[in-house]
Amino acid sequence: MPAKILVSACLLGQPVRYDGKGKLLSHAALTRLQEEGRVVAFCPELAGGMSVPRPPAEIEAGLTGEDVLLGRARVLELTGGDVTSAFVAGAQKALAVTRESHCCHALLIDGSPSCGSISIYDGAFAGRRHAGSGVTAALLRQNGITVFAGHEIDRLMAELEVYL
Ligand code: SF4
């Protein structure tokens, strides 16, 4: 059976981001994966109970998704709300979906406090990023899922050739 890939719903153009928009990744390889029925679209923040639109949120104090999972960092909204539990719940649901769907790979949008896998915003809501993963990307990696950022799709496809 061809390997399936968990993909950030917003990368598929679904309007699930905090601002009510998507962020479509137009790429022939992604289209091919969709046509082959190998894409599992998922938005951890909606799965965790967040609504659209919602205030932007960042992991506090230059910390990372791993810190959130260890209980030593919170995810805070620009408006001050603590949405840590929703982000952790969304990550856990993402992991459950990868297991149910037999996904070994994920393609997630970078920068997000959930889906970021290379860099995330630093908690100051000033547009600055630092190296690190969001909560979902961190939990998936901790459980053996190989996570790629959207712009790394060519690397993902090269790795998937092994599974074709
Ligand atoms: S949680 Fe992930 S899939 Fe959902 S809007 Fe944010 S980046 Fe997109």
Side-chain angles (χ1 to χ4, degrees):
M1 182 168 54
K4 292 191 173 183
I5 300 95
L6 189 84
V7 180
S8 293
C10 58
L11 274 182
L12 299 167
Q14 295 185 17
V16 294
R17 283 163 50 95
Y18 72 93
D19 57 3
K21 298 178 181 173
K23 200 165 187 180
L24 178 65
L25 174 64
S26 294
H27 194 289
L30 186 55
T31 302
R32 177 185 148 198
L33 291 172
Q34 286 182 280
E35 289 172 350
E36 292 173 349
R38 298 172 63 188
V39 167
V40 179
F42 193 80
C43 174
E45 291 173 24
L46 290 197
M50 307 292 288
S51 57
V52 180
R54 54 191 178 276
E58 297 186 4
I59 298 171
E60 65 180 338
L63 298 171
T64 68
E66 286 86 355
D67 295 306
V68 174
L69 293 170
L70 288 168
R72 61 190 185 199
R74 298 173 297 169
V75 187
L76 299 175
E77 294 178 326
L78 176 62
T79 48
D82 182 342
V83 287
T84 309
S85 60
F87 276 63
V88 172
Q92 290 169 338
K93 289 185 177 175
L95 178 60
V97 167
T98 62
R99 288 177 168 158
E100 289 161 9
S101 307
H102 307 290
C103 297
C104 295
H105 300 84
L107 184 72
L108 305 180
I109 193 165
D110 199 33
S112 155
S114 292
C115 291
S117 60
I118 297 173
S119 66
I120 53 174
Y121 290 98
D122 69 2
F125 295 95
R128 290 189 305 264
R129 294 193 192 194
H130 67 105
S133 297
V135 184
T136 292
L139 186 64
L140 294 181
R141 280 189 172 136
Q142 288 174 1
N143 286 275
I145 307 297
T146 306
V147 179
F148 295 88
H151 64 270
E152 296 179 307
I153 188 167
D154 290 328
R155 283 188 49 222
L156 166 66
M157 294 308 292
E159 183 156 325
L160 284 176
E161 293 301 320
V162 174
Y163 294 85
L164 291 177

